Amino acid sequence: MVPKPLAFLLRVMDHVHRDETTSFINEISGDYVKPTPEDETEYKHERGQWDRKLDFILSLIGYSVGVSNLWRFPYLCLRNGGGAFLIPFFFFLLAIGIPMFYLEVCLGQFSGTSPLFVWKLCPLFKGIGWGCCIVSGITSIYYVAVLAWVMFYFINSFYPTLPWFTCDNWWNTDTCIGPVHDNGTELNSTVPVSTSDVGYNYDNATVFLRSSMGNITLRNVSRTGFGDKTAAEEFWQYYVLRKSDGLDDMGTLQPHLVGCLFVSWLFIFLCLIKGIKSLGKVVYVTALLPYILLTILLIRGLLLPGAADGIKFYIYPDFSKLANYSVWIEAALQVFFSLGAAWGSVITMASYNKFHNNCFRDAIIVTLADGLTSFYSGFVIFSVVGFMAKEANLSITEVATEGPGLALVAYPEAITKMPLPQLWAVLFFLMLFTLGLDSQFGMFENLVAGIIDAFPHKLQRYRTFVTGGMAILFFLVSLPLTLNGGIYIFQLMDWFTSAFCLVITGLMESVIIGWIYGVHRFGRDIELMLGRRPGVIMRFCWCISNPIILLMVFFVTVTGYQMPTYDGYKYPTAARGMGFLFSMLPIFPIPIVMVWELSRAKGTLWQRFYQTLRPSKDWKPALKDYQPDYQTDNHEFVLPLTSLMPCRETK
């Protein structure tokens, strides 16, 4: 149930005074009759349409709620003031999350097409659509590697003894830190969990080292950085990845990862084999199951010793942190990237909606679901982090971590200390797999929809073959990630691909809708769908606050950007250059398409700019009943500050 103050604010954001509401529908056609549901179904019969409204909502929730909600948000709370971090987080969720999400849902629902063609509303910037497809494509390549890793952990969770629990495996080194003898006799050791992928941070810890002869020796060591690894980290580094020393030694394909990668792509193909028809059924499992598993893991975590300390540390507010601007920037970044705006997937999934669907309600539901899931997952993680700290006799800050180090090293290490560890391992990795699978659905469907929309009459009937062909292609392209040096490629792609382009895309979307296409005209398009225009606060967000916030985020990201490293490995200059190429690939189409569109236009340079900034003649609402009388020739540029003021239109 939404709190009353929040519900009031949301009503204000979408409120429109009756006296300023114009009958835009009547302006289009004096004989307007609202289409029946049968009419709306007919106009999207060829392209496809969600069978139920809940299909769309669950698909968006599944896409937005991903692994970052689980392994990044709780750590950000810990680092940025605990419960105090919720203030900037939910502020930006309302200030930028809902407006950006609502904007993209409206674009997709109104146009009924993918991001590749939705920018006909401003032809000069059609390159944005190409950029969205490129970033979705690159991310789809390396994101499935995470699914392959998780699947391999899931398979190994069924062994009688979890393989990341002991140091007597063939991949373990002589200095492996493990909790058991080679014969399985348990030892009482105080072994902390890795704080990151690059080393440990604890002093004078009593550890057990496995010698080359298989004997266990007790040694008191002082750890300050790189060196010996726990059994869980050696399982990750030397068995799952079997990583090499760097990019100059890529090694060979690892059959276990190739198999898991293939099965992951097979899952994706089968779930999208009929597009949204099959996806709309799968999400009832993949979107809802993680919440059931999270709740089970939370209940188990709360019963562990030290859980209360971990949760207290997680939610205890340190309001002094709010004076640091970096806390607010990190909150804005987390909201923006977690929701998945500017990737194009939201536009694609919304394009399958009925034209008169209440997309404002959907945007609120999905945005709040994403934010509240992040908050909820923090209790799951920190109940276990508190347990880990108590077991290792360390402070929570020394064992808390983020990213794959949490999901694939720290948490599995903690699972080994629980009763019935196989059960909790199976549940945990099943949850991770479903979280990642849903996010991949959105990105991959974005690519498939773009290709089919380019040739709708030729490819729509062959959607299954298009999806299968794309899945095979991406499986082959992602094979280098299964090499011994694949983790270095993964880190490079993950570090650079979405670093700048998504913020730039989000900024351009807001500027184009607010200042070029015009929030005034965009409001009339929304009125055509919903019967009312967005309120003044929503329009203010699109025109003023969103561009300012995203511009600040971009500036801070650029000025504070650092080169990637992995486990102490520093990337060579050539690799860094390749990384910057990854970051710029989604941006290149924007100026290229600009030049192309200007060269096709007629007149002076200024006239060409003016023509390409206006909607193209084939920019129409998706509902065919509205298309004949929809006007684009009389488009006028209206200053956003003018359109924000209350006014009464004259017919």
Side-chain angles (χ1 to χ4, degrees):
M1 187 174 182
V2 180
K4 290 184 178 180
L6 179 59
F8 172 75
L9 177 60
L10 295 175
R11 285 197 301 270
V12 172
M13 292 175 72
D14 196 47
H15 177 69
V16 180
H17 294 290
R18 294 294 179 183
D19 60 349
E20 63 175 292
T21 301
T22 60
S23 182
F24 179 53
I25 297 174
N26 290 335
E27 289 180 43
I28 293 181
S29 175
D31 301 325
Y32 166 75
V33 178
K34 185 174 180 178
T36 64
E38 291 75 15
D39 295 332
E40 294 200 39
T41 301
E42 181 181 355
Y43 93 91
K44 283 192 176 178
H45 174 70
E46 294 183 358
R47 191 170 184 271
Q49 189 178 62
W50 299 106
D51 291 333
R52 292 170 292 273
K53 294 180 180 179
L54 190 58
D55 297 358
F56 170 64
I57 294 175
L58 289 179
S59 297
L60 274 187
I61 291 176
Y63 164 72
S64 300
V65 177
V67 291
S68 68
N69 297 74
L70 186 71
W71 69 31
R72 178 159 175 78
F73 177 81
Y75 182 79
L76 289 177
C77 282
L78 172 69
R79 191 172 68 184
N80 295 304
F85 183 73
L86 298 176
I87 296 176
F89 177 77
F90 280 103
F91 168 77
F92 285 116
L93 196 69
L94 295 175
I96 192 174
I98 291 178
M100 281 297 300
F101 215 79
Y102 184 39
L103 182 148
E104 293 200 344
V105 170
C106 288
L107 280 176
Q109 183 169 308
F110 180 82
S111 64
T113 188
S114 66
L116 204 57
F117 300 98
V118 76
W119 295 105
K120 293 183 291 186
L121 63 85
C122 187
L124 190 64
F125 292 96
K126 281 183 179 179
I128 294 177
W130 288 96
C132 289
C133 289
I134 291 174
V135 72
S136 292
I138 296 176
T139 307
S140 294
I141 292 172
Y142 72 83
Y143 193 84
V144 180
V146 178
L147 297 181
W149 298 336
V150 172
M151 180 178 294
F152 189 66
Y153 270 88
F154 178 77
I155 294 171
N156 280 270
S157 299
F158 290 94
Y159 281 87
T161 299
L162 296 179
W164 57 84
F165 182 49
T166 64
C167 279
D168 55 358
N169 305 288
W170 65 262
W171 61 82
N172 292 122
T173 63
D174 296 341
T175 55
C176 172
I177 305 171
V180 298
H181 285 291
D182 283 355
N183 61 8
T185 304
E186 184 173 351
L187 294 174
N188 294 321
S189 61
T190 55
V191 181
V193 180
S194 167
T195 57
S196 70
D197 284 339
V198 298
Y200 306 100
N201 236 350
Y202 55 92
D203 299 321
N204 300 322
T206 302
V207 299
F208 294 94
L209 305 181
R210 178 177 181 267
S211 70
S212 58
M213 300 299 294
N215 300 320
I216 299 297
T217 58
L218 182 63
R219 195 179 294 178
N220 189 273
V221 297
S222 176
R223 302 295 299 276
T224 57
F226 303 104
D228 308 325
K229 303 179 186 298
T230 63
E233 185 156 6
E234 288 203 350
F235 176 81
W236 161 242
Q237 300 279 16
Y238 305 141
Y239 185 52
V240 179
L241 299 178
R242 305 182 190 183
K243 72 181 184 71
S244 62
D245 295 330
L247 289 172
D248 55 343
D249 180 19
M250 291 303 298
T252 59
L253 295 175
Q254 301 304 302
H256 64 290
L257 290 182
V258 173
C260 291
L261 188 72
F262 176 79
V263 174
S264 298
W265 275 112
L266 183 62
F267 264 103
I268 294 167
F269 166 68
L270 293 176
C271 293
L272 294 175
I273 190 170
K274 294 184 178 179
I276 59 169
K277 295 298 181 182
S278 54
L279 177 60
K281 297 176 176 61
V282 171
V283 291
Y284 283 88
V285 176
T286 57
L288 297 177
L289 183 61
Y291 291 97
I292 299 174
L293 299 178
L294 273 173
T295 302
I296 295 173
L297 291 171
L298 175 60
I299 295 173
R300 181 66 189 96
L302 292 175
L303 298 177
L304 295 171
D309 296 332
I311 291 177
K312 180 180 178 181
F313 204 94
Y314 168 52
I315 63 175
Y316 183 79
D318 180 6
F319 293 108
S320 63
K321 293 280 189 178
L322 298 181
N324 190 342
Y325 80 95
S326 65
V327 174
W328 294 81
I329 294 297
E330 286 200 341
L333 281 170
Q334 177 63 15
V335 167
F336 186 76
F337 285 105
S338 177
L339 282 173
W343 297 76
S345 301
V346 175
I347 295 175
T348 295
M349 288 189 280
S351 68
Y352 299 115
N353 274 340
K354 293 183 178 180
F355 190 77
H356 292 292
N357 175 63
N358 188 350
C359 52
F360 180 69
R361 173 205 59 201
D362 297 344
I364 293 173
I365 292 174
V366 175
T367 306
L368 292 181
D370 180 77
L372 294 175
T373 301
S374 297
F375 180 59
Y376 184 61
S377 66
F379 290 94
V380 179
I381 296 301
F382 272 90
S383 62
V384 176
V385 168
F387 165 68
M388 293 155 54
K390 186 176 181 64
E391 286 285 304
N393 196 25
L394 295 170
S395 67
I396 291 175
T397 54
E398 289 180 283
V399 297
T401 183
E402 63 173 328
L406 170 64
L408 302 178
V409 178
Y411 206 97
E413 174 85 11
I415 287 175
T416 62
K417 302 178 184 296
M418 301 180 187
L420 299 175
Q422 289 82 2
L423 172 63
W424 307 115
V426 167
L427 294 179
F428 177 72
F429 291 115
L430 178 61
M431 178 191 65
L432 280 184
F433 188 78
T434 53
L435 284 173
L437 200 61
D438 272 333
S439 298
Q440 181 64 21
F441 288 158
M443 291 184 289
F444 195 63
E445 175 62 23
N446 185 31
L447 294 171
V448 174
I451 294 175
I452 293 178
D453 285 349
F455 309 97
H457 300 294
K458 296 180 179 180
L459 296 182
Q460 184 63 51
R461 67 183 68 180
Y462 302 112
R463 165 177 273 276
T464 299
F465 296 99
V466 174
T467 305
M470 290 285 291
I472 294 173
L473 175 63
F474 273 73
F475 165 70
L476 296 175
V477 174
S478 58
L479 279 177
L481 294 167
T482 65
L483 295 167
N484 296 98
I487 185 63
Y488 301 106
I489 301 176
F490 173 87
Q491 180 79 347
L492 197 67
M493 296 177 72
D494 184 49
W495 193 270
F496 284 101
T497 297
S498 58
F500 308 112
C501 65
L502 292 181
V503 178
I504 293 175
T505 301
L507 174 63
M508 295 182 70
E509 285 183 3
S510 297
V511 171
I512 291 170
I513 294 299
W515 295 79
I516 299 177
Y517 184 74
V519 70
H520 180 73
R521 183 183 182 92
F522 191 56
R524 300 208 314 179
D525 292 341
I526 294 174
E527 184 184 12
L528 196 60
M529 294 188 295
L530 306 183
R532 63 183 187 278
R533 300 189 187 186
V536 65
I537 294 181
M538 186 66 73
R539 290 179 298 187
F540 176 83
C541 290
W542 289 336
C543 296
I544 309 297
S545 65
N546 277 16
I548 291 176
I549 293 172
L550 290 174
L551 191 61
M552 291 175 58
V553 168
F554 177 73
F555 176 77
V556 173
T557 301
V558 172
T559 56
Y561 207 71
Q562 298 177 349
M563 293 298 103
T565 60
Y566 182 79
D567 202 18
Y569 174 76
K570 294 184 178 180
Y571 286 85
T573 303
R576 297 178 183 180
M578 184 63 68
F580 278 112
L581 178 62
F582 279 131
S583 68
M584 296 307 296
L585 275 178
I587 304 299
F588 286 152
I590 298 177
I592 293 174
V593 174
M594 279 184 175
V595 173
W596 170 255
E597 289 294 332
L598 288 173
S599 66
R600 295 176 59 198
K602 298 179 181 180
T604 64
L605 183 61
W606 171 250
Q607 290 173 334
R608 295 185 182 195
F609 268 108
Y610 188 82
Q611 292 174 23
T612 54
L613 287 174
R614 300 176 65 178
S616 60
K617 293 184 179 180
D618 57 345
W619 169 249
K620 302 288 185 181
L623 193 58
K624 291 182 179 179
D625 289 4
Y626 295 153
Q627 292 177 3
D629 298 313
Y630 187 81
Q631 300 293 325
T632 57
D633 295 336
N634 61 350
H635 175 74
E636 297 180 359
F637 297 105
V638 180
L639 288 176
L641 293 178
T642 303
S643 63
L644 289 177
M645 302 299 293
C647 62
R648 182 187 296 273
E649 287 194 11
T650 57
K651 295 184 179 180

